[in-house]
Amino acid sequence: MNEIESKTLYLVPTPIGNLEDITYRAVKVLSNVEYIFAEDTRVTKILLSHFNITKPVLKSYHEYNENEASEVIIDLLKNNHTVAIVTDAGTPGISDPGYVVVKKAIQEHLKIVSLPGPTAFTTALVASGLSTNTFSFFGFLDHKKSAKRKTLENLKDRSETLIFYEAPHRIIDTLEIMYEILGDRQVVIAREITKKFEEYLRGSISKILEQGFNVKGEMVILVEGAKQTQLESKLNDLSIEEHYNYYLQQGLNEKDAMKQVAKDRKTSKSNIYNYLLKK
Ligand code: SAM
């Protein structure tokens, strides 16, 4: 089989623990491209040898050479060579290198083929028991506590499930800051997914901190979205005009009433202003 197309960049997800999670298609692509660009060639070598893949030339593409390596990849593709990108684990571009080369390839009108496959956050989300209707993924929070606090402050009113990656040596700190800023929300720690010691810790932040857990390995933190109060949800069921009038009756001036309606409805003040103007 050689269905590999030239002038096409292949983005190939690899297992996040269990090697059996690689897809047939990923093995086929990796077996048949001429070049594989990998985050850490030593890690990828182990994966390739497990699947008896020996043909491709292995090159380095990581966060510190992303720009230069991207140029090399683009040149290879333009010269009709075949190239795949992998990272150490999971899907390229998801809290991992990938974005830069994809952007450049699009600018150069090259084709991108993104293979579906393992990624830690979706695997964790569907098993978390938290709402999957709406969710947001933020990757790693900033290492600095002040920046971490600021991001969480900005997220505290969001009602969707919030998903983060975190390193084991920061997990307790991060949970403590989450407790301080988001309150005692329900969280899920998905640890070592697809590996021998896979576990899901579910409960309030205080319970999880109190009971303690093995802080080794790889982890995803999933946080329940902010709950609307009964009053907020009643107000959000009203028309925008009724909602606005409610706050006027409560004694707020027009500007503050509009601001409050916008906040309750998680939209901008100008949206509310424009809507009321048209009435
Ligand atoms: N590209 C990867 C993906 O698609 O999920 C993510 C790479 S990022 C550098 C590594 C982080 O992903 C870890 O610190 C952890 O938060 C999460 N992660 C990766 N593998 C995991 C696993 N088996 N169990 C739990 N979390 C994992």
Side-chain angles (χ1 to χ4, degrees):
M1 166 263 161
N2 194 354
E3 295 153 11
I4 304 299
E5 290 178 57
S6 60
K7 292 196 180 338
T8 302
L9 177 64
Y10 288 88
L11 306 170
V12 183
T14 55
I16 55 168
N18 188 330
L19 290 181
E20 292 187 4
D21 291 332
I22 200 155
T23 66
Y24 287 120
R25 191 171 170 215
V27 173
K28 272 188 188 174
V29 170
L30 294 177
S31 304
N32 288 290
V33 286
E34 290 169 279
Y35 293 90
I36 297 175
F37 279 73
E39 190 182 6
D40 183 338
T41 51
R42 291 163 302 182
V43 173
T44 301
K45 234 178 221 163
I46 297 169
L47 179 84
L48 296 181
S49 84
H50 181 86
F51 292 102
N52 296 321
I53 300 170
T54 51
K55 189 188 120 191
V57 178
L58 205 49
K59 298 248 180 210
S60 192
Y61 173 86
H62 48 68
E63 82 176 288
Y64 305 105
N65 77 348
E66 227 177 336
N67 278 308
E68 307 89 87
S70 296
E71 296 298 341
V72 176
I73 294 168
I74 300 296
D75 272 352
L76 286 168
L77 290 171
K78 282 183 173 172
N79 286 302
N80 291 324
H81 292 290
T82 53
V83 179
I85 306 264
V86 296
T87 60
D88 290 352
T91 299
I94 301 297
S95 293
D96 261 341
Y99 167 70
V100 173
V101 70
V102 168
K103 200 167 166 218
K104 284 199 169 132
I106 293 168
Q107 281 163 356
E108 298 292 338
H109 307 288
L110 295 161
K111 192 172 159 190
I112 316 280
V113 171
S114 173
L115 273 64
T119 192
F121 83 89
T122 49
T123 312
L125 173 66
V126 291
S128 68
L130 299 177
S131 171
T132 56
N133 285 342
T134 56
F135 57 87
S136 292
F137 170 65
F138 300 95
F140 290 97
L141 285 163
D142 200 292
H143 298 175
K144 290 193 209 96
K145 284 189 188 183
S146 56
K148 204 179 271 191
R149 279 205 171 84
K150 202 166 164 201
T151 306
L152 291 170
E153 279 289 351
N154 288 333
L155 299 179
K156 77 172 181 218
D157 294 327
R158 305 261 296 243
S159 56
E160 76 270 33
T161 300
L162 310 173
I163 312 172
F164 306 90
Y165 283 165
E166 192 49 291
H169 59 285
R170 293 198 192 93
I171 187 92
I172 298 294
D173 242 25
T174 299
L175 285 173
E176 284 173 354
I177 296 174
M178 283 178 167
Y179 178 82
E180 186 191 311
I181 292 170
L182 306 177
D184 202 8
R185 300 253 184 117
Q186 293 297 308
V187 292
V188 177
I189 311 288
R191 203 176 73 80
E192 295 286 88
I193 305 167
T194 77
K195 302 185 197 174
K196 188 172 173 196
F197 296 108
E198 167 175 304
E199 67 173 340
Y200 286 85
L201 293 132
R202 300 178 176 90
S204 62
I205 302 182
S206 64
K207 184 188 139 199
I208 285 183
L209 282 171
E210 215 175 279
Q211 78 186 22
F213 61 97
N214 187 347
V215 291
K216 289 200 185 110
E218 298 195 281
M219 291 171 219
V220 183
I221 311 178
L222 305 103
V223 185
E224 183 187 37
K227 283 208 176 80
Q228 285 194 333
T229 62
Q230 273 189 344
L231 175 63
E232 269 170 359
S233 74
K234 265 192 193 156
L235 290 174
N236 286 345
D237 285 343
L238 298 175
S239 71
I240 292 180
E241 212 174 349
E242 287 166 338
H243 195 160
Y244 171 69
N245 285 334
Y246 167 84
Y247 282 122
L248 291 182
Q249 279 158 18
Q250 295 295 303
L252 263 61
N253 63 34
E254 290 177 1
K255 195 171 152 219
D256 286 345
M258 258 185 264
K259 204 165 146 190
Q260 194 55 49
V261 173
K263 189 168 175 239
D264 292 349
R265 292 179 179 249
K266 299 192 178 19
T267 183
S268 70
K269 219 168 60 189
S270 58
N271 269 347
I272 301 298
Y273 177 79
N274 289 333
Y275 180 88
L276 292 171
L277 209 65
K278 283 188 209 135
K279 281 271 151 190

